[in-house]
Amino acid sequence: MNTLATAAQITVGVNLLFLGSLIWVWVRNYLALRSKHTLGMLVFASLLFIENGFALYYYLLDPDLSVWFSTQVPDIAWYAMLSFHVLEAVALAFLAWVTLD
């Protein structure tokens, strides 16, 4: 398997962990405060969670696309996709740090 594909899969998994922890905090806060701001953060994180879940599904489980992603996608495309996943992970890590601190 392509090393870049594995790195993208790991990064997407990390993003799911960050988003899961943020969703957990924002659900608790929304139930306590009923704030629109908290609801907005909760909806935003939920949509990103779904997006990352689809990405991980297509990278690992989809019978057609998982084979294509692991064998036929050129490295330059993986560099582009991986850079997006890594930037998202850094942003989520910072947001998790701010939220959980």
Side-chain angles (χ1 to χ4, degrees):
M1 176 176 277
N2 186 342
T3 304
L4 295 171
T6 303
Q9 293 165 358
I10 290 170
T11 307
V12 170
V14 168
N15 288 345
L16 286 170
L17 291 175
F18 281 132
L19 287 165
S21 65
L22 290 170
I23 288 170
W24 177 72
V25 169
W26 288 329
V27 164
R28 281 188 347 184
N29 289 349
Y30 180 71
L31 292 175
L33 304 172
R34 302 286 180 190
S35 156
K36 281 187 179 179
H37 182 264
T38 305
L39 179 61
M41 299 295 276
L42 177 60
V43 169
F44 185 77
S46 298
L47 292 173
L48 278 180
F49 188 89
I50 292 168
E51 181 222 353
N52 279 278
F54 275 127
L56 196 59
Y57 168 78
Y58 288 125
Y59 288 159
L60 293 176
L61 301 175
D62 187 82
D64 296 323
L65 290 179
S66 63
V67 173
W68 181 73
F69 274 119
S70 63
T71 59
Q72 297 180 8
V73 173
D75 283 350
I76 191 156
W78 275 119
Y79 283 120
M81 289 189 288
L82 184 58
S83 65
F84 292 131
H85 293 314
V86 169
L87 285 172
E88 185 177 345
V90 170
L92 291 173
F94 185 76
L95 190 57
W97 175 71
V98 169
T99 302
L100 299 173
D101 189 34

